[in-house]
Amino acid sequence: MLDSTVPQIRHDWHTNEILDLYALPFNDLLFKAQTIHRENFNPNEVQISSLLSIKTGSCSEDCGYCPQSARYDSGLTSEPLMAIYDVLKAAEQAKSQGASRFCMGAAWRKPKDSDIERVVEMVQGVKALGMETCVTLGMLTDTQTTRLKEGGLDYYNHNLDTSEDYYSEIITTRTYKDRLDTLERVRDAGINVCCGGIIGMGESDLDRANLLLQLANLPQHPESVPVNMLVQVQGTPLMGTEQLDPLVFVRTIAVARIIMPKSRVRLSAGRNEMSDEMQALCFFAGANSIFYGDKLLTTDNPMTNHDLNLFARLGLKSAGSSYA
Ligand code: SAM
Ligand code: DTB
Ligand code: SF4
């Protein structure tokens, strides 16, 4: 077993240490993750975010997993940036269903400054409803992060997606460094960072370890770490990728919990394809946030009734919300 006297917050992880964690017997790994989880969080509370795609499809990028890229025929109908009234209606509904954070996603490589002004209005409107705000808009400039911070944005989501080595197999239209640069700008502007990746894209054990290594060795751990299971969408290059062993996904959650003990680890995309039992194992491994609501950005998420029932069966409560 690893020495529990080692200081918890570290930014100097080595790949081999992370591979060693992955290789622990499953029960040892989950026990360790659950122990660390309990030292840092209420183990029966899960933070609830809802997603809305505020600008859908026709994206210039070639992310191999994404139905919103203009390069692939996923059958998706593109939609321009939504009107603020419709966004606030969706946020109100998410709040009434029990979400404490509203995350707005746009299919952009990078927004224009005029887009940022419209997003700031949305952020202010959602905050006025008493919800936390998160947006994911692609690459940002310093001026844009400053503007979003002034506008009151709480979180910015920008994922590393995979390891630096595997990255070029998935995306060629922007670099890993572009992503790290945007993350640094978000951090420097004082906005909370939401950053994670996607598992199940045909990456190796080493790639998964190196993705987690990158996240944990950032100068400050992301406050929120979404761990997505690839949602395979017809027409995208990653459709047909060999299914990952679900227990490897659970191990990924556990390792993320151990090496980023104070971050909210989000059991993100892919829950619709997971059994309730697998999700329960993910919560035991230290996941303590979900996307809630019938839709992610463009693909299906479990129905809210199903999630409420699962929470009741597991004795889980929503963190930071009076509902669920
Ligand atoms: N266009 C912006 C960008 O790429 O930064 C923001 C929106 S983009 C859809 C946000 C994230 O969703 C991606 O970085 C990726 O991690 C995740 N995502 C997209 N499609 C996915 C899929 N099919 N399965 C799992 N996660 C996915
Ligand atoms: C994240 O890591 N996962 C969310 C959110 N951040 C923006 C998006 C998942 C998208 C899944 C595919 C879709 O619905 O389009
Ligand atoms: Fe565009 Fe974002 Fe999808 Fe990549 S992940 S194709 S940048 S919407």
Side-chain angles (χ1 to χ4, degrees), residues 15-16 19 163 165 203-212:
T15 306
N16 283 343
L19 287 172
S163 71
D165 286 346
E203 73 285 343
S204 65
D205 291 343
L206 182 62
D207 291 315
R208 285 185 282 274
N210 279 333
L211 165 65
L212 294 181

Side-chain angles (χ1 to χ4, degrees), residues 106 108-113 115-117 119-120 134-149 153 155-158 174 177-189 191-193:
W108 285 318
R109 168 182 169 79
K110 54 181 185 182
K112 300 192 286 287
D113 288 349
D115 296 325
I116 293 289
E117 291 311 312
V119 171
V120 163
C134 177
V135 297
T136 178
L137 314 171
M139 295 186 283
L140 298 180
T141 63
D142 282 327
T143 321
Q144 292 175 335
T145 52
T146 306
R147 186 69 194 105
L148 287 167
K149 175 65 184 173
L153 180 68
Y155 290 81
Y156 193 79
N157 167 244
H158 198 62
R174 60 179 139 156
K177 180 163 185 311
D178 288 332
R179 291 190 185 245
L180 290 167
D181 288 348
T182 290
L183 289 168
E184 194 177 324
R185 291 191 182 103
V186 171
R187 181 57 85 199
D188 288 349
I191 301 167
N192 291 310
V193 172

Side-chain angles (χ1 to χ4, degrees), residues 55-72 105-110 136-139 158 161 170-171 173-174 179 198 297:
K55 185 268 169 186
T56 306
S58 302
C59 184
S60 61
E61 302 300 271
D62 69 352
C63 311
Y65 48 77
C66 188
Q68 303 204 65
S69 166
R71 297 163 193 244
Y72 316 131
W108 285 318
R109 168 182 169 79
K110 54 181 185 182
T136 178
L137 314 171
M139 295 186 283
H158 198 62
D161 280 350
I170 305 295
I171 301 142
T173 48
R174 60 179 139 156
R179 291 190 185 245
I198 309 177
L297 288 174

